[in-house]
Amino acid sequence: MSQEYDVIVIGGGATGAGTARDCALRGLKTLLIERYDFTNGATGRNHGLLHSGARYAVNDAESAEECIKENMILRKIARHCVEEHDGLFITLPEDDLEYQKTFVERCQHAGIRADIITPEDALRREPAVNPRLIGAVVVPDGSVDPFRLTIANVLDARLHGADVLTYHEVTSLIINNGRVEGVNLRNNLTGETSEARAQITVNAAGIWGTLIAKMAGAQVSMFPAKGSLLIFGHRVNNMVINRCRKPANADILVPGDAITVIGTTSDRVPIETVDNLRVTPEEVEVLLTEGAQLAPALASTRIIRAYCGVRPLVASDDDPTGRNISRGIVCLDHETRDGMAGFITITGGKLMTYRLMAEIATDMVCKKLGVNKRCTTAENALPGTQPDSVEHEYDVVKDHSPYGRRSAGEDNRDENKTYVSHVQQGRFGNNAHNIEAGRPDKDALVCECEQVTVGEVEYAMEHQMVERLIQLRRRTRTGMGTCQGQLCALRAACVLSHKTGVEAAKADLRNFLNERWKGMQPVAWGSTLSEAQLIQRVYRDVCGL
Amino acid sequence: MKYNTVIIGGGLTGLVSGIQLQEQGQRVCIISFGQTLLHFSSGSFSGEESNTDVQALLKNAGIATVAGGYRLTPLGELRPAALTLEGYYHSETAELKEKSFAIVRLPKYLGLPIEFLQDTLTAQGREVSIITPDEVVGCPAEVILVPACKAGYDLKKTYGKRVSLIAALPPSIPGQHIHAKLQQYFQKIGGTYINGDKVVRSTLQTDEKGVRVQSVETQNLGDELIVADHYILASGSFQSEGLQSNYDHVWEPVFGVDTNAPEDRTAWTALDFFEDQPYQHIGVLTDEAGHALVEGRPVSNLYPAGHILGALRTDIQNLNDALRIAKNL
Amino acid sequence: MQTESKSPLELEQCLKCSICTAVCPVMNNTDAYPGPKQCGPDAERYRMKDIRFFDESALKKCLNCKRCEVACPHGVKVAELIQTARRDMSQHGPGLREIMLANTDIMGSLATLVAPIANFATGLQLSKEVLHATVGIDHRRTFPKYAGTKFETWYHRHAAQNQGQFKHQVAYFHGCYVNFNYPKLGQDLVHVMNAFGYGVQLLEKEKCCGVALMANNMYNQAKKQGQVNIDSMRKALQGGVETIVTTSSSCTLNMREDYPTMLGIDQKDVKEHLGLAVRFISRLLDEGNVKLVWKEGFKKHVCYHTACHMARLGWNVYTLNILRQIPGLELDILEQNCCGISGTYGFKKENYELSQKIGSTLFNDIEATNAEAVVTECETCKWQIEMSTSLPVINPISLLAEALDLEATQKANIR
């Protein structure tokens, strides 16, 4: 770690990672700091909706326009993180069909494609949609994997010379003569302290940004809004399903990878509770009731997990009383606003517009440093995505595979690899080429639900800064299947112990089991309760944990 | 189809009570839906103390066990065991007797946490090496551990006493073996084992004498009425669907036996994974004589046994119950 | 609201307990098959996302023995998930070999015309080598012999005219094996049913049940044939037969369970009246409505093999009920293991060795009994066990025919 940077970015969510990438791409000496693991905040706890912006078209045209532009950009630069399957906005008999007209008009006004289709058509395209629907509009919604997206930004930042520190928390800012000169850090794993210095420090810490700003003596009012979501055991729908009405709770159903997510609720919570939130039974009830309105099958689909995150809702800056919430992007220059130089805050916005937020923040940083470089993040593909479409990648892997072509009748032990390699492709894009395979010990499956091999785990350890199960889970989906770690947690812990040592791996295993349980507990009935009992039997009884 | 006793649930409890009854001269039928909790076996039976009757019954079925002592968990710790399968590593005392261990690493097999196992044994001052199957011959270690998977069992067959089995993650071979041997023995002595089938209808009869089970019907046998003098309900806990749950309640699916489940769903679970979990204590209710209670009334010929009474019951508790119920019928 | 959990084929009820994996005969004998859990519920979640996740070469290795379904404690239709994926997502049509092996009616009819030559030819090593090299039928596999006269022909010549005397009538779905290769079993069935006082009718039109066609991805043809069968059965029931009996476990499972799910044939009205003869007879015995006169001094030592599809039906309880009542019969119940042939699967040269490896436990167990014969309801198990062990294989109906004094029994039952 070098001593002096051009810029330090605090926060390893999409915004921080995106800003670090943008800065690094523009040649700035960058340090990205994250207190736990990437996407620990709101980035890792949303639906993963690749917004078309349609949802805001009626009430917030500016956000809508921003969304659709970023949507199109992400499809290009982050192909391997994105699924493009369109979305439906449905009108149910109890909704106002008139709203649909306004909705379509406002969408088009914002540059969002919105096509009205008949309910029959909607049912044909999406058989899981509520058959009671009386109206449907198709928009370019999709889904995005926020873990992959964030990591891709981090990797790109590193590739361009940025330093990255995870498990390092900012304990205070280094301030001299009304100027922020750097940060004091604590390593959350070892307790060691250190410091880092830079000309500009960017506060991209999401909801915790209000605390960081306070360290600089600046008041940035935030209103933590807790949102809970449920994950269903399989992909019930293939298109995003929304309710065509004024945005309300639990009216978005998003398919992603092999699951479906329903969200989200919205409740104000005190800032002190933000790190210890649990999903409540009331929230589960709301999510289920509303979700079943979008797709009736949800009423009888296994729920494998519940989780919650906190939205960083920011006070509109010209109203510090906080009654006015800004939905837009908020970029604060503390030098002019609070007399504290060398410090800016970038906040507000949403996952979809992270790149734009990063651009705005980086523009401000460059202006302050007198660097005259323009933003290229919308043009450069992220690592894992090449300019050519990922579809071709599937064929490319097969043809160039060192394991040869499959022919009928060959008893080829690598046949399993075809399926596994597709899944790895999906996760890593063309970086999947670099995963070691073809040997029994590398091809052995750590996670069977999600097809994660030993080779993939080792790749993530080597190239994606993975040391702990929770990180492994985010990068590779280990433990995110229906068994929630029943078989894979122990296997994965053993592989990780090669890097971290057995003691740490054992403690990590215990934490991971609890982390998985935290999500199962609010929905522990039916098959999920049976699963929990099985997990208890394996780990506490057989293994004696 | 008429029997003296019908047992619902062909796991450890069901099979052992079935064997005991068959040996007592009864005509017994066991109905089992898929496999059982045995398939998460650690290679040992848990419990306070063994029971010579239990051990003898198991021996008759071809399952040789060692009483008392300790088993070795996949993580390398010694835990007390009432009975341990022969062939598995077993210690008389709470401390490892041997000084040198070797662990066989099988290609592509991840079910044994070798790194953890090695670390724990080393921390106890033992010499531990990791070897391949080819290196078993000529290995100087006092104990050679092989995981209880199919390939491990093959090694055990080849090398006999030279290697010791140690339990691993599912799929569990020891459980399969115990189950297969008990099932075979049960059939050999005349028992009827209906596999892959579940009871979908039960008929209770209520008269001035009380409530009793009249008959049951299964999925595969259609409208065939299966009638018995006695019925033993050994269908297990949530894991094997002996108890079922949904968003707001818990129930016993075959006869509707009353349960002690809390009304409030949130009371079924504790927040920390390692805390005692309330749902593990959920079970069906019986009167003092062990008759199942349905809507508060005892069913005179229905006896719940095994994990359906509570998931944390030890194997020995369940086995003792199985024998006791059988002997009283 | 979440009162019950339902997903296609109970996909989500899978708790990953891996019991299916532990009992899968293929997985236990080769590294090349990912196993039922992975090919079934695991992969299905991904196949729902994109058809690209369908891995044909892996799924082709599934025997469809359905032992995974028998073992699953949560009712996940593991085998059906795999077979449905193959049916819906496979891009490959059948090759010449598949067409030859699976079109039992055509092959059977042709071969019967020239049975002695056909038998001679398929018995020749040279022709086996040719088949091995050209279409990929393994040269080590013995072919079942073709009878010179079809069962149906025998029935019309020798049995049809005797059936009218019985008050009760049943129809018999004999299947292609009995018809072309082993009419003796059909004859035994007729004799035994007659002895119990039941006349036996043949269906107006009977086609191969289609299990081999389905295994080789020829679903359309299977559906056509299946429809013919069900229509014939319906007609027979309307014409006054009490029930339709069969002697083959695979045909029975296929027609009862897979016709509606895999072929979309509606047979709800017929299903309840279609079942193995052993079930029918077992019930007769239990009801006490039939008299049995056994042959004097009948003694035989047999072992009973539960065919995989019989285990899936769950009806071996009926067979065992009957066998246990035969005086003089020493019965060993074999541990349930797959014989490995799985119909046409074991004929293919790429599967032959695996087939034999899978069956080896069973073969060893059989030899160890020192019994005189193996009893089982499945004809392909019969081919496999007769080829791979020293014992002959007979259907329980044939065993019953051997043990009963048929004439005396019939006299005792006709009033």
Side-chain angles (χ1 to χ4, degrees), chain C residues 175-193:
Chain C
C176 37
Y177 180 61
V178 162
N179 205 19
F180 299 115
N181 304 92
Y182 199 54
K184 177 180 183 299
L185 172 54
Q187 294 162 15
D188 288 339
L189 183 289
V190 174
H191 294 145
V192 168
M193 294 305 293

Side-chain angles (χ1 to χ4, degrees), chain A residues 64-283:
Chain A
E65 283 176 36
E66 273 170 6
C67 268
I68 187 64
K69 285 207 193 84
E70 291 302 309
N71 178 317
M72 291 301 149
I73 291 170
L74 284 181
R75 284 167 196 252
K76 230 182 25 177
I77 66 168
R79 254 206 128 91
H80 73 291
C81 306
V82 157
E83 269 186 68
E84 306 174 68
H85 38 49
D86 279 347
L88 282 174
F89 271 79
I90 64 170
T91 306
L92 292 179
E94 52 267 33
D95 302 327
D96 175 19
L97 193 51
E98 281 302 303
Y99 187 84
Q100 192 193 66
K101 280 204 208 95
T102 319
F103 174 78
V104 172
E105 188 205 69
R106 296 273 89 213
C107 278
Q108 286 165 345
H109 188 81
I112 304 169
R113 174 177 53 86
D115 303 317
I116 299 184
I117 60 174
T118 64
E120 292 75 38
D121 253 334
L123 269 165
R124 207 173 309 130
R125 286 178 68 158
E126 179 44 77
V129 77
N130 193 337
R132 294 192 307 122
L133 85 167
I134 58 175
V137 183
V138 181
V139 297
D141 275 342
S143 68
V144 60
D145 183 318
F147 311 111
R148 270 177 236 166
L149 183 65
T150 306
I151 271 293
N153 277 278
V154 171
L155 290 178
D156 211 16
R158 276 178 106 188
L159 281 170
H160 288 88
D163 286 332
V164 178
L165 284 175
T166 53
Y167 290 96
H168 281 72
E169 187 160 352
V170 172
T171 50
S172 60
L173 299 174
I174 302 171
I175 300 175
N176 261 325
N177 295 331
R179 164 168 283 272
V180 172
E181 291 183 350
V183 295
N184 285 314
L185 300 170
R186 178 188 65 229
N187 182 326
N188 275 334
L189 291 176
T190 64
E192 274 173 59
T193 56
S194 60
E195 65 167 46
R197 288 171 181 270
Q199 302 212 43
I200 311 276
T201 299
V202 178
N203 173 13
I207 188 65
W208 298 273
T210 182
L211 303 169
I212 302 284
K214 217 196 245 165
M215 292 177 191
Q219 160 94 336
V220 178
S221 299
M222 291 206 194
F223 305 95
K226 174 191 182 200
S228 290
L229 304 96
L230 298 179
I231 302 184
F232 292 88
H234 70 279
R235 216 173 146 102
V236 174
N237 49 327
N238 265 314
M239 293 175 76
V240 178
I241 304 177
N242 304 269
R243 203 66 180 267
C244 193
R245 61 175 185 192
K246 277 171 54 176
N249 280 345
D251 58 2
I252 314 181
L253 190 66
V254 185
D257 250 339
I259 50 99
T260 282
V261 179
I262 177 75
T264 162
T265 55
S266 184
D267 292 289
R268 289 283 174 83
V269 292
I271 185 93
E272 312 81 62
T273 63
V274 154
D275 285 330
N276 287 308
L277 294 168
R278 299 189 84 103
V279 178
T280 66
E282 293 75 30
E283 286 171 325

